[in-house]
Amino acid sequence: AGDRIGRLEGDGRAMIERGATGWQLAKSQAVDAHVVADVPDLSTVAAWLGPDAKVGGRLGANIVVSGTGADPRVSGEARAQDLALREPQSGFEIEKGEVALRIAGKAVTVERFEASTPWHVPPPARRKLEGMTLPAAGRITADGALDLGGRAGTLRLHLDHAAVTQTNARFLAISGDAQLQATHDGVLASGAFKADAGWIGALSSSLPSISEDVIVVRKAQASAPVPAERDKERVNLDVRFDLGNRLYFEGRGLDTRLAGSLHVTGAPTALKAEGSIRTLGGNYNGYGQKLSIERGALAFNGAVDNPQLNVRAVRKGLPVEAGVEVTGTVVHPKVRLVSTPDVPDPEKLSWMILGRGPSELAPGDASVLVAAAASMLGKGDGTGIQEKLGLDEVKIGRADTQSVLGVLPQSTVAGRTGTASAAEVVSVGKKLTRNVHLTFEQGLSDAEGALKVTVNLSRQFQVLVRAGYLPGLDLVRRWTFD
């Protein structure tokens, strides 16, 4: 007994015996217990849920245990009033809750469950939801019964503008109905929900992760077979989601509204999804510019973590409207430059990043294009894309670092041989044989390109054939000085 814990009173009798796995209730002996609880303040258990958790309300319970050690029976009732709960990780919160449970044998009946979910909309979400009348709270109700022994029964859940998550980084309120149905094959959770209002904010950069060259090796352990009893208790999902008209995403340079619907089925460890999520308007801040989203869609038809991509974002209001297009899947995306009207890729990059054509480049602009191109490749050395395309090299930089002969002089006594910007190139190469190497170079700031074929005659002699910019045929001999 105590001022905060209230009063707990009970007594019980049972016999224990030494079994194969240790001490246990004697299976053939009777079990008899009676517990009465009257807790006026549930806040005493909040510390068990974490420093930011919130628990409140009043609890009363009257529980009787009977039967034998092999088949104990529990009966009685439990009631909670003015229940308040806040889970800090998701921000889920209820208040003014009332719960009434009745237990008979192995059957649990939810006679009454009602609670309100107060709306605590973060400031960024309020700006997005401007013009919408925000309710003070939503509501959750539930009822039904489950027979755990006979594996039968149904629990029904109804949500009306219920705020299911609300933190500084996200807010989501949904409406709909769901049910939890126990069968001999396991538990089936089904339902249909619609988003009433939502805002998802993402960090400006991804969370820290282990470098790709770090390999973690753990001791192999044989997986234990799943007991038949555990297998019967598996959970399957069959849930439909409608994103509604007021769900927004903001972060990682993307600012848009989301729409669409999903049908998620399967076990929690192997979920499958059908449907699509699409963007409606908005912008993408990428490569230092604001790109308008013309098309954005995630199409699901299989594993929930690998949808099809169909995204197109361009820089508007210019003579050449250039941007990027992403297709493929999340696991294997394909990125390419696009423009209207269609121009060579170096011009697309120039219009998208700098807002002007190659003929109007200023000193230092080429280095900006090089940095943007390297960013699009994913790595400065291009190894990420070269492995996917089966190339031996993908490089971005000055041509004098990628040529067998080095870069030719930009000017001679006879005049200029090329432009200074031609030294900034994208170079891709592939070894056709052990001694034949094919290289293609494309200038980033103009339309000049070159195709090179290098033939190694010996360790000292090479033949270089160039077509395109500065075409020619060269015989190269190398000397090494110690």
Side-chain angles (χ1 to χ4, degrees):
D3 293 337
R4 298 184 63 186
I5 199 174
R7 185 175 183 84
L8 300 176
E9 182 178 355
D11 62 88
R13 292 176 297 277
M15 180 173 290
I16 61 174
E17 63 182 4
R18 186 76 174 182
T21 59
W23 291 102
Q24 62 185 20
L25 291 177
K27 296 182 178 181
S28 60
Q29 299 298 318
V31 176
D32 181 16
H34 183 205
V35 178
V36 177
D38 183 9
V39 183
D41 187 3
L42 289 174
S43 63
T44 54
V45 303
W48 298 351
L49 303 179
D52 297 325
K54 173 185 174 182
V55 180
R58 181 184 181 92
L59 173 66
N62 189 342
I63 305 297
V64 176
V65 181
S66 60
T68 64
D71 185 22
R73 298 281 176 171
V74 181
S75 61
E77 61 180 13
R79 295 180 179 274
Q81 296 179 334
D82 296 326
L83 184 64
L85 173 68
R86 183 180 187 276
E87 196 281 315
Q89 297 298 323
S90 64
F92 176 72
E93 182 176 352
I94 62 174
E95 62 182 16
K96 301 177 181 179
E98 294 186 16
V99 182
L101 302 178
R102 183 172 294 278
I103 304 172
K106 294 185 178 181
V108 179
T109 301
V110 180
E111 296 181 338
R112 178 183 178 86
F113 177 84
E114 292 186 3
S116 63
T117 60
W119 281 35
H120 303 301
V121 185
R126 285 187 176 273
R127 291 193 294 268
K128 288 295 182 182
L129 300 175
E130 187 176 1
M132 174 186 176
T133 302
L134 303 181
R139 193 157 188 82
I140 299 178
T141 59
D143 64 81
L146 285 178
D147 186 351
L148 303 179
R151 297 184 181 277
T154 301
L155 289 179
R156 293 168 294 274
L157 181 68
H158 176 71
L159 289 79
D160 182 15
H161 291 77
V164 294
T165 180
Q166 44 189 350
T167 67
N168 292 331
R170 61 185 179 273
F171 174 84
L172 179 62
I174 62 176
S175 296
D177 294 277
Q179 66 178 14
L180 191 67
Q181 185 176 5
T183 67
H184 290 285
D185 296 329
V187 178
L188 175 62
S190 60
F193 300 99
K194 181 179 180 180
D196 299 302
W199 171 82
I200 303 172
L203 298 175
S204 58
S205 60
S206 59
L207 294 173
S209 60
I210 299 176
S211 176
E212 294 181 357
D213 60 352
V214 176
I215 300 176
V216 180
V217 179
R218 293 184 173 90
K219 182 179 179 180
Q221 296 180 353
S223 57
V226 179
E229 293 77 7
R230 290 276 306 277
D231 186 62
K232 291 182 180 180
E233 296 174 359
R234 63 179 182 271
V235 177
N236 288 309
L237 299 180
D238 186 358
V239 184
R240 297 181 182 273
F241 297 95
D242 186 340
L243 302 189
N245 301 320
R246 296 186 180 90
L247 181 59
Y248 298 89
F249 182 90
E250 186 176 9
R252 302 290 177 84
L254 182 61
D255 186 357
T256 185
R257 182 167 74 85
L258 302 178
S261 60
L262 285 179
H263 182 201
V264 180
T265 58
T269 56
L271 291 177
K272 295 183 179 180
E274 293 183 0
S276 64
I277 298 176
R278 62 186 184 276
T279 63
L280 298 178
N283 301 300
Y284 175 71
N285 293 323
Y287 316 111
Q289 303 298 331
K290 180 174 286 188
L291 308 180
S292 299
I293 300 175
E294 290 187 342
R295 181 178 67 249
L298 298 177
F300 295 83
N301 188 20
V304 71
D305 58 350
N306 191 31
Q308 294 283 334
L309 302 174
N310 190 354
V311 181
R312 182 186 176 102
V314 300
R315 187 175 180 181
K316 296 285 190 177
L318 298 174
V320 176
E321 295 183 341
V324 294
E325 184 178 75
V326 184
T327 57
T329 66
V330 170
V331 176
H332 298 290
K334 300 177 182 178
V335 183
R336 71 183 186 98
L337 295 171
V338 295
S339 68
T340 304
D342 191 24
V343 296
D345 282 357
E347 293 189 39
K348 295 174 185 176
L349 189 63
S350 178
W351 281 106
M352 183 180 70
I353 302 302
L354 302 174
R356 51 185 179 272
S359 60
E360 305 174 23
L361 292 183
D365 285 345
S367 60
V368 177
L369 296 179
V370 169
S375 174
M376 293 179 68
L377 288 175
K379 293 183 179 180
D381 58 3
T383 56
I385 194 173
Q386 78 181 51
E387 292 178 357
K388 295 179 181 179
L389 299 181
L391 301 173
D392 293 321
E393 66 172 359
V394 177
K395 298 180 180 179
I396 303 174
R398 294 186 58 84
D400 56 357
T401 66
Q402 303 165 61
S403 172
V404 174
L405 294 176
V407 66
L408 294 179
Q410 299 302 320
S411 60
T412 67
V413 293
R416 291 188 59 79
T417 62
T419 61
S421 61
E424 302 288 357
V425 299
V426 176
S427 175
V428 296
K430 177 70 176 178
K431 281 189 176 182
L432 303 181
T433 67
R434 180 178 180 182
N435 297 319
V436 180
H437 189 268
L438 179 67
T439 304
F440 176 74
E441 291 183 353
Q442 174 63 57
L444 286 173
S445 56
D446 51 35
E448 295 171 343
L451 181 65
K452 301 179 182 181
V453 179
T454 304
V455 182
N456 297 320
L457 301 178
S458 67
R459 294 185 63 182
Q460 288 78 30
F461 287 95
Q462 293 176 324
V463 175
L464 176 63
V465 181
R466 296 193 311 275
Y469 174 63
L470 296 178
L473 174 65
D474 298 279
L475 179 64
V476 183
R477 181 182 180 187
R478 294 182 179 274
W479 285 272
T480 301
F481 298 94
D482 295 331

